[in-house]
Short mmCIF file of all heavy atoms in Angstrom, two decimals:
data_model
loop_
_atom_site.label_atom_id
_atom_site.label_comp_id
_atom_site.label_asym_id
_atom_site.label_seq_id
_atom_site.Cartn_x
_atom_site.Cartn_y
_atom_site.Cartn_z
N GLY U 350 185.64 60.39 242.36
CA GLY U 350 185.72 59.40 241.29
C GLY U 350 184.47 58.53 241.33
O GLY U 350 183.64 58.69 242.22
N VAL U 351 184.34 57.63 240.37
CA VAL U 351 183.18 56.74 240.38
C VAL U 351 183.61 55.29 240.23
O VAL U 351 184.66 54.98 239.65
CB VAL U 351 182.18 57.05 239.24
CG1 VAL U 351 181.44 58.34 239.52
CG2 VAL U 351 182.86 57.06 237.89
N SER U 352 182.77 54.42 240.76
CA SER U 352 182.96 52.98 240.62
C SER U 352 181.85 52.47 239.72
O SER U 352 180.67 52.58 240.04
CB SER U 352 182.85 52.34 242.01
OG SER U 352 182.86 50.93 241.92
N ILE U 353 182.25 51.94 238.56
CA ILE U 353 181.27 51.48 237.58
C ILE U 353 181.22 49.95 237.60
O ILE U 353 182.23 49.28 237.42
CB ILE U 353 181.62 51.99 236.17
CG1 ILE U 353 181.63 53.53 236.16
CG2 ILE U 353 180.65 51.44 235.12
CD1 ILE U 353 182.02 54.13 234.81
N GLY U 354 180.03 49.45 237.84
CA GLY U 354 179.84 48.01 237.96
C GLY U 354 179.96 47.31 236.62
O GLY U 354 180.06 47.93 235.55
N ILE U 355 179.95 45.99 236.68
CA ILE U 355 179.96 45.16 235.47
C ILE U 355 178.64 45.37 234.74
O ILE U 355 177.57 45.40 235.37
CB ILE U 355 180.18 43.68 235.86
CG1 ILE U 355 181.62 43.53 236.41
CG2 ILE U 355 179.93 42.75 234.67
CD1 ILE U 355 181.86 42.27 237.21
N GLN U 356 178.72 45.60 233.44
CA GLN U 356 177.53 45.92 232.63
C GLN U 356 177.14 44.71 231.79
O GLN U 356 177.81 43.67 231.81
CB GLN U 356 177.83 47.12 231.72
CG GLN U 356 178.37 48.34 232.47
CD GLN U 356 177.35 48.99 233.37
OE1 GLN U 356 176.22 49.25 232.97
NE2 GLN U 356 177.74 49.27 234.61
N ASP U 357 176.09 44.87 231.01
CA ASP U 357 175.63 43.77 230.15
C ASP U 357 176.45 43.65 228.87
O ASP U 357 176.44 42.61 228.22
CB ASP U 357 174.15 43.95 229.81
CG ASP U 357 173.26 43.66 231.02
OD1 ASP U 357 173.64 42.79 231.83
OD2 ASP U 357 172.21 44.31 231.17
N SER U 358 177.13 44.75 228.50
CA SER U 358 177.97 44.68 227.29
C SER U 358 179.10 45.71 227.40
O SER U 358 179.00 46.66 228.19
CB SER U 358 177.13 45.00 226.04
OG SER U 358 176.79 46.37 226.04
N PHE U 359 180.16 45.53 226.61
CA PHE U 359 181.27 46.48 226.62
C PHE U 359 180.82 47.84 226.10
O PHE U 359 181.32 48.88 226.53
CB PHE U 359 182.44 45.94 225.79
CG PHE U 359 183.09 44.73 226.41
CD1 PHE U 359 183.44 43.64 225.63
CD2 PHE U 359 183.34 44.67 227.77
CE1 PHE U 359 184.04 42.52 226.20
CE2 PHE U 359 183.94 43.56 228.36
CZ PHE U 359 184.29 42.48 227.57
N ASP U 360 179.86 47.84 225.16
CA ASP U 360 179.31 49.11 224.65
C ASP U 360 178.66 49.90 225.77
O ASP U 360 178.85 51.10 225.90
CB ASP U 360 178.26 48.84 223.56
CG ASP U 360 178.86 48.96 222.17
OD1 ASP U 360 180.08 49.26 222.10
OD2 ASP U 360 178.13 48.73 221.19
N GLN U 361 177.84 49.19 226.57
CA GLN U 361 177.19 49.86 227.70
C GLN U 361 178.23 50.39 228.68
O GLN U 361 178.06 51.48 229.25
CB GLN U 361 176.25 48.89 228.43
CG GLN U 361 174.88 48.79 227.77
CD GLN U 361 174.01 47.73 228.44
OE1 GLN U 361 174.20 47.41 229.62
NE2 GLN U 361 173.08 47.19 227.69
N LEU U 362 179.30 49.63 228.87
CA LEU U 362 180.37 50.08 229.78
C LEU U 362 180.98 51.38 229.26
O LEU U 362 181.12 52.35 230.01
CB LEU U 362 181.44 48.99 229.90
CG LEU U 362 182.69 49.39 230.68
CD1 LEU U 362 182.37 49.65 232.15
CD2 LEU U 362 183.78 48.31 230.58
N ALA U 363 181.32 51.41 227.98
CA ALA U 363 181.94 52.62 227.40
C ALA U 363 180.98 53.81 227.49
O ALA U 363 181.41 54.94 227.74
CB ALA U 363 182.34 52.35 225.95
N ASP U 364 179.68 53.56 227.32
CA ASP U 364 178.69 54.65 227.43
C ASP U 364 178.60 55.18 228.86
O ASP U 364 178.47 56.37 229.09
CB ASP U 364 177.30 54.16 226.99
CG ASP U 364 177.23 53.93 225.49
OD1 ASP U 364 178.16 54.35 224.77
OD2 ASP U 364 176.24 53.30 225.04
N ARG U 365 178.66 54.26 229.83
CA ARG U 365 178.61 54.69 231.25
C ARG U 365 179.82 55.55 231.56
O ARG U 365 179.73 56.57 232.22
CB ARG U 365 178.61 53.49 232.20
CG ARG U 365 177.31 52.86 232.48
CD ARG U 365 176.69 53.20 233.86
NE ARG U 365 176.72 54.60 234.28
CZ ARG U 365 175.81 55.52 233.96
NH1 ARG U 365 174.80 55.24 233.18
NH2 ARG U 365 175.92 56.74 234.41
N VAL U 366 180.99 55.12 231.09
CA VAL U 366 182.21 55.89 231.33
C VAL U 366 182.05 57.29 230.73
O VAL U 366 182.38 58.29 231.37
CB VAL U 366 183.45 55.17 230.75
CG1 VAL U 366 184.69 56.06 230.85
CG2 VAL U 366 183.68 53.84 231.47
N ALA U 367 181.50 57.36 229.53
CA ALA U 367 181.31 58.66 228.87
C ALA U 367 180.41 59.56 229.71
O ALA U 367 180.70 60.75 229.91
CB ALA U 367 180.68 58.45 227.48
N ALA U 368 179.33 58.99 230.25
CA ALA U 368 178.38 59.78 231.04
C ALA U 368 179.04 60.30 232.32
O ALA U 368 178.84 61.45 232.72
CB ALA U 368 177.14 58.94 231.37
N GLU U 369 179.84 59.45 232.96
CA GLU U 369 180.49 59.86 234.21
C GLU U 369 181.55 60.92 233.95
O GLU U 369 181.68 61.88 234.72
CB GLU U 369 181.12 58.65 234.93
CG GLU U 369 180.17 57.48 235.20
CD GLU U 369 179.08 57.77 236.23
OE1 GLU U 369 178.93 58.94 236.65
OE2 GLU U 369 178.36 56.81 236.59
N LEU U 370 182.30 60.77 232.87
CA LEU U 370 183.31 61.79 232.52
C LEU U 370 182.62 63.12 232.23
O LEU U 370 183.10 64.18 232.63
CB LEU U 370 184.13 61.34 231.31
CG LEU U 370 185.08 60.15 231.54
CD1 LEU U 370 185.67 59.68 230.21
CD2 LEU U 370 186.20 60.52 232.53
N ALA U 371 181.47 63.06 231.56
CA ALA U 371 180.73 64.28 231.23
C ALA U 371 180.27 64.98 232.51
O ALA U 371 180.14 66.21 232.55
CB ALA U 371 179.53 63.96 230.34
N ASP U 372 180.02 64.20 233.57
CA ASP U 372 179.62 64.79 234.84
C ASP U 372 180.80 65.36 235.62
O ASP U 372 180.62 65.95 236.68
CB ASP U 372 178.89 63.76 235.71
CG ASP U 372 177.43 63.56 235.27
OD1 ASP U 372 176.95 64.38 234.47
OD2 ASP U 372 176.80 62.59 235.73
N GLY U 373 182.02 65.15 235.12
CA GLY U 373 183.18 65.81 235.73
C GLY U 373 184.06 64.92 236.58
O GLY U 373 185.09 65.37 237.08
N TYR U 374 183.67 63.66 236.80
CA TYR U 374 184.42 62.79 237.72
C TYR U 374 185.88 62.67 237.32
O TYR U 374 186.22 62.61 236.14
CB TYR U 374 183.75 61.42 237.82
CG TYR U 374 182.45 61.51 238.59
CD1 TYR U 374 181.22 61.44 237.94
CD2 TYR U 374 182.46 61.73 239.96
CE1 TYR U 374 180.03 61.56 238.65
CE2 TYR U 374 181.28 61.86 240.68
CZ TYR U 374 180.07 61.77 240.02
OH TYR U 374 178.89 61.90 240.72
N ARG U 375 186.73 62.65 238.34
CA ARG U 375 188.18 62.75 238.10
C ARG U 375 188.90 61.43 237.98
O ARG U 375 190.11 61.39 237.74
CB ARG U 375 188.81 63.54 239.25
CG ARG U 375 188.34 64.97 239.26
CD ARG U 375 189.39 65.82 239.91
NE ARG U 375 188.99 67.21 239.90
CZ ARG U 375 189.64 68.15 240.55
NH1 ARG U 375 190.71 67.82 241.26
NH2 ARG U 375 189.25 69.39 240.50
N ARG U 376 188.17 60.35 238.21
CA ARG U 376 188.80 59.03 238.09
C ARG U 376 187.71 58.00 237.87
O ARG U 376 186.65 58.06 238.48
CB ARG U 376 189.56 58.70 239.36
CG ARG U 376 190.23 57.34 239.34
CD ARG U 376 189.99 56.60 240.65
NE ARG U 376 188.60 56.25 240.77
CZ ARG U 376 188.01 55.85 241.87
NH1 ARG U 376 188.66 55.78 242.99
NH2 ARG U 376 186.73 55.52 241.90
N ILE U 377 187.98 57.08 236.96
CA ILE U 377 187.01 56.02 236.66
C ILE U 377 187.57 54.70 237.19
O ILE U 377 188.72 54.34 236.91
CB ILE U 377 186.79 55.90 235.13
CG1 ILE U 377 186.26 57.21 234.53
CG2 ILE U 377 185.88 54.71 234.81
CD1 ILE U 377 184.84 57.58 234.92
N LYS U 378 186.73 54.02 237.96
CA LYS U 378 187.09 52.65 238.38
C LYS U 378 186.07 51.72 237.77
O LYS U 378 184.87 51.99 237.80
CB LYS U 378 187.06 52.59 239.91
CG LYS U 378 186.76 51.24 240.54
CD LYS U 378 186.99 51.31 242.05
CE LYS U 378 186.01 50.45 242.82
NZ LYS U 378 186.21 50.58 244.29
N ILE U 379 186.56 50.65 237.16
CA ILE U 379 185.61 49.64 236.66
C ILE U 379 185.83 48.34 237.41
O ILE U 379 186.94 47.99 237.78
CB ILE U 379 185.70 49.44 235.12
CG1 ILE U 379 187.05 48.85 234.72
CG2 ILE U 379 185.42 50.74 234.38
CD1 ILE U 379 187.10 48.40 233.26
N LYS U 380 184.72 47.66 237.65
CA LYS U 380 184.79 46.36 238.30
C LYS U 380 185.23 45.33 237.28
O LYS U 380 184.80 45.38 236.11
CB LYS U 380 183.41 45.99 238.84
CG LYS U 380 182.92 46.89 239.96
CD LYS U 380 183.73 46.68 241.24
CE LYS U 380 183.11 47.45 242.39
NZ LYS U 380 183.86 47.24 243.64
N ILE U 381 186.10 44.41 237.70
CA ILE U 381 186.52 43.33 236.80
C ILE U 381 186.31 41.97 237.47
O ILE U 381 186.17 41.88 238.70
CB ILE U 381 187.99 43.46 236.35
CG1 ILE U 381 188.95 43.44 237.55
CG2 ILE U 381 188.19 44.69 235.48
CD1 ILE U 381 190.41 43.25 237.16
N LYS U 382 186.25 40.95 236.66
CA LYS U 382 186.21 39.55 237.12
C LYS U 382 186.71 38.72 235.93
O LYS U 382 186.78 39.25 234.80
CB LYS U 382 184.79 39.15 237.52
CG LYS U 382 183.80 39.14 236.37
CD LYS U 382 182.44 38.61 236.81
CE LYS U 382 181.48 38.58 235.62
NZ LYS U 382 180.15 38.10 236.00
N PRO U 383 187.05 37.45 236.15
CA PRO U 383 187.48 36.63 235.02
C PRO U 383 186.41 36.65 233.92
O PRO U 383 185.23 36.45 234.21
CB PRO U 383 187.62 35.22 235.64
CG PRO U 383 187.96 35.51 237.09
CD PRO U 383 187.13 36.72 237.44
N GLY U 384 186.82 36.95 232.70
CA GLY U 384 185.86 37.05 231.59
C GLY U 384 185.40 38.48 231.35
O GLY U 384 184.78 38.77 230.31
N TRP U 385 185.65 39.36 232.30
CA TRP U 385 185.29 40.80 232.15
C TRP U 385 186.48 41.59 232.70
O TRP U 385 186.38 42.20 233.76
CB TRP U 385 183.99 41.12 232.89
CG TRP U 385 183.50 42.55 232.73
CD1 TRP U 385 183.90 43.64 233.45
CD2 TRP U 385 182.52 43.06 231.79
NE1 TRP U 385 183.25 44.77 233.04
CE2 TRP U 385 182.39 44.45 232.02
CE3 TRP U 385 181.76 42.46 230.77
CZ2 TRP U 385 181.52 45.25 231.27
CZ3 TRP U 385 180.89 43.27 230.04
CH2 TRP U 385 180.78 44.64 230.28
N ASP U 386 187.63 41.48 232.03
CA ASP U 386 188.78 42.19 232.56
C ASP U 386 189.58 42.87 231.44
O ASP U 386 189.38 44.06 231.18
CB ASP U 386 189.65 41.30 233.46
CG ASP U 386 189.95 39.91 232.89
OD1 ASP U 386 189.91 39.73 231.66
OD2 ASP U 386 190.25 39.00 233.69
#
Side-chain angles (χ1 to χ4, degrees):
V351 288
S352 173
I353 299 178
I355 292 162
Q356 307 292 312
D357 288 327
S358 71
F359 293 137
D360 263 359
Q361 277 175 25
L362 173 65
D364 290 348
R365 275 257 45 86
V366 173
E369 306 292 8
L370 291 171
D372 281 348
Y374 289 106
R375 294 206 178 171
R376 179 225 68 194
I377 300 291
K378 153 171 145 182
I379 65 170
K380 294 290 188 178
I381 59 167
K382 65 175 182 181
W385 183 276
D386 46 24

